[in-house]
Structure formats: structure tokens, C-alpha cells
Amino acid sequence: MNPVTNDREAPSTGVGTTEPLIPYVQRLNQRAHALDRRRPLLWDATFTGFWVTAALIDYTGGGWRSITHNPDAPGPLLLALSLGLSVPLLWRRTHPAAALLVMTSFALVNSWSGTALQAALLQLVVLYHIVLRLPLRSLWWATVLLLIPVLVSAARYGEGEWSQQIGSYLTSVLVAVLIGVTVRTRQNYTEALEDRARRLEVERDQQARLAAAAERARIAREMHDIIGHNLSVITGLADGGRYAAGKSPERAAQALDAIAATSRQALGELRRLLDVLKDEGAGSAELAPQPALTDLDRLIGGVRNAGLPVRLTVEGRSSLPPGRQLTVYRVVQEALTNTLKHAGPDATAEIALVHGDRGSVTVTVTDTGAPATAAPADGRGLPGMRERTALYDGTLEAGPRARPEQGWRVRLHLPEESPQ
């Protein structure tokens, strides 16, 4: 067998599996930035110490003599210039303008005396930080400060054309400015992205809270409609059974059977509604109670069993969407519940359901209860009906009937469906 290897199999051998360079450098950069944020003074002192050492090496090693115009410059002057052109780097980030002014004064002495120490180029580092931290208009005076020592040196010890010397230095200034602008632009872009991410996170949390509040309101509305109506029916049946217990035991037994049936129905609907709250996948939402207009007969039958005579009239035919049917059903249910609670024992109710064109529908529920007791006292029923009506841009009117009639009237109108 002739062993064959390829590049795709190479990593599995354990040889040559060095870490990619870019992620490694990125991690080092992140660690350096983290250290700088925690201890900025330590980083500044380390950076400044490095360049102070380099300037002193240039001075003590005699490297400055290869380009100087004054090889007989005294040692104390060279030491003062080396420190004056490097130590201000310690304040390059906190006070870049002041650092540049101090370094420029030493750079003028450096140019006038002809020592021409290379430490003067450290002014470009301060220029970089001016571009990074100060308004860009600061570049004008910073560039003038940098050019003054160059002009002094060219006028006093100039060899060759001025334009060549100044042009070379301006190129260095331009490179420092471009680097500063590039880093500043990237920092601004990164800060903008971070700010956007924070705002999106806040907006997401707000939307989640709003959605949770809307869901709580929807569940409370459904539970009010289910429990409130069925308890009202049960109360009416219990009162009727209590009156019938002494005269007609059979009627009392029928009332108890109706109470049991209504209780089981309410319990079943409540369980289906609570199943929606369980995190059991999308299928649980399908179990939520969604009554339709076909359930009105059963609703009215339960109210009649509770002792309230109800008459239903329907005009026209229309295939309403499930959401509109649910709204009509809940409004009728709430209106009958309020009649059971407040209209009194001798009241009657009438429901008029009128289907219009293209999904419009009008339903009117009236009762003959006493005006003093007809107004519903529940704090959630009418707001719930209005919320459901507003979902379809409908109108809801609820209030006492006009005299000489007595009782309460609820009128719901859902307009035509908007074309898609």
C-alpha cells in the first residue's frame, strides 16, 4: 500500500496544527485593551519608559552624531533634550495639546542648536493622539507647531532645497494624521454599533414587556368572559333551584343538573384557556376556546335555564372570519351576563343580529331591567368589549335605553372588512 496524504487529513495527524495568526493577534489586542482600561497609568508609563530609554540610548550611544549639525553639543543639553522630547509622552492621551506644546519648545532648541536628535520625531505620536481625541480643527495649529522647528532647522543649517526637507516632514505628518483618522473612524463606527446594539436590546425588552402585558390583558379578558358569564348563569340557576325546592323537587333537580353542566363547561373552557400558557409547542394554542356564532344557541339556552327569557332574531347571512365571530359572541355574552347580574328577576332580553355586506355586522342586545339596577357594576366587562371592538375598527354603544322604555342597550357594529 502506498500511503497518501493530503491537506485535508493533515490536521488529524497532530502536526502543524498551529493556531491561526489572526485570532491569536485579536486575542492579544483584546487583552491589551482590557489592561489599558483597568490600569491606564501603567500602560502609559510602560509606553513612555520605552521611548525614554530609546532616546537615552541614542544619546549615550552616540548615534545622534551621524546626522547632527553640532557634534560638539554639551552633554547636559543632550540629556535635557532627550528627556524633554520623550517624557511628555506620559500625558499624550490625557493632555495631548499641552504635551505637544512642551515637546515643541524642546524641538525648537533641538533645531536651533543643531543637535538634530531623532527623539523630535516623537511629536508625531502626540499628533496621532490629537487627531484621535481632539476636534479635527486642532490639526491646523498642531501642524504649524510641528513645522516651526523644521523651518528653523532648514533656515539655520539647510542643505539642499527647503521644499525637499519640508516635504519629507509633511509626508510623515500626513501618515500620522491618516493613521489617527482611520483609528478614530473605526472607533466611532464601533461605538455606533455598540450603541445601536444597546438600543435594540432595550427596544427588544420593551417589546417583550408590551407583548407580555397584552397577553395578560387578553387572558384576563377571556377569563372574565368565561368565568363571569358561567358564574352568573350558575347563580341564576341556584336561586331558581332554591325557590323551586319547596314546591317542585323535580324543577330543583333540573336546576342542579344545569348547574353541574354549566360548571363542567366553564371548567373545560378554563382548562383549554390555561393550556395556552403552557410551553408545549404550537399545538397547545389550538386548544384555546374560540366560540363562534353557531354557539349562540347554546349560550342563550344556558341563560334561559338561569331564568332570563331571551329572544334572538337574525337578518341576512354572512360568513364572518373567526375573529369577528368571537368578538360578536363575547359582546353578546357580556351583555347577557350584565343583564343576569343587574336587570332584576322580571327582566327579559332581546338580541338582534344583522349581517351586512362584505363582513359588516351589527348586533343589538336590549333588556327590560329597572333603570336603577341596569347599569353594570363590573370594572372589566365594558372595557373588554371596547377593546375587542377596536381590533376591527368597530363602534360600541352601551347605556340606558331612551325613555319611556326602561332597561339597558348594547349595540355593536363592525364595519366592512378592509380589502387586502
Side-chain angles (χ1 to χ4, degrees), residues 188-207:
N188 292 340
Y189 177 72
T190 303
E191 290 174 359
L193 289 180
E194 292 176 351
D195 180 66
R196 183 186 178 191
R198 284 192 296 268
R199 286 189 284 106
L200 288 175
E201 185 176 359
V202 171
E203 183 179 354
R204 181 198 63 191
D205 294 341
Q206 290 177 344
Q207 290 179 348

Side-chain angles (χ1 to χ4, degrees), residues 167-373:
S168 176
Y169 194 76
L170 281 177
T171 301
S172 301
V173 171
L174 180 61
V175 170
V177 169
L178 289 178
I179 294 175
V181 170
T182 301
V183 174
R184 182 171 182 167
T185 302
R186 181 162 183 84
Q187 285 182 351
N188 292 340
Y189 177 72
T190 303
E191 290 174 359
L193 289 180
E194 292 176 351
D195 180 66
R196 183 186 178 191
R198 284 192 296 268
R199 286 189 284 106
L200 288 175
E201 185 176 359
V202 171
E203 183 179 354
R204 181 198 63 191
D205 294 341
Q206 290 177 344
Q207 290 179 348
R209 287 193 293 269
L210 290 175
E215 185 65 13
R216 286 195 297 268
R218 184 188 70 83
I219 293 171
R221 187 168 59 240
E222 292 289 342
M223 293 186 69
H224 170 270
D225 292 340
I226 293 171
I227 298 176
H229 171 75
N230 285 287
L231 286 180
S232 297
V233 172
I234 290 172
T235 302
L237 290 170
D239 290 341
R242 180 166 58 87
Y243 287 118
K247 299 179 180 180
S248 176
E250 294 182 358
R251 293 293 301 274
Q254 292 176 0
L256 291 175
D257 292 339
I259 289 174
T262 304
S263 300
R264 283 192 292 268
Q265 178 185 352
L267 184 59
E269 290 185 354
L270 183 60
R271 284 174 176 171
R272 289 195 296 271
L273 177 62
L274 295 179
D275 283 342
V276 181
L277 302 179
K278 297 180 181 179
D279 189 13
E280 298 178 352
S284 60
E286 299 176 358
L287 298 176
Q290 295 291 330
L293 293 183
T294 55
D295 298 310
L296 281 178
D297 291 337
R298 185 177 61 180
L299 172 68
I300 293 172
V303 173
R304 287 170 178 164
N305 290 335
L308 175 65
V310 181
R311 185 165 66 94
L312 172 66
T313 59
V314 180
E315 295 183 15
R317 286 187 178 181
S318 177
S319 179
L320 294 178
R324 287 178 168 241
Q325 293 191 42
L326 178 62
T327 298
V328 172
Y329 180 92
R330 291 304 189 197
V331 168
V332 172
Q333 182 186 50
E334 179 63 25
L336 294 178
T337 301
N338 289 332
T339 300
L340 281 172
K341 289 181 179 179
H342 310 289
D346 299 326
T348 61
E350 181 176 348
I351 305 170
L353 180 61
V354 180
H355 292 280
D357 297 331
R358 290 192 293 180
S360 66
V361 62
T362 302
V363 59
T364 305
V365 182
T366 56
D367 63 54
T368 59
T373 58

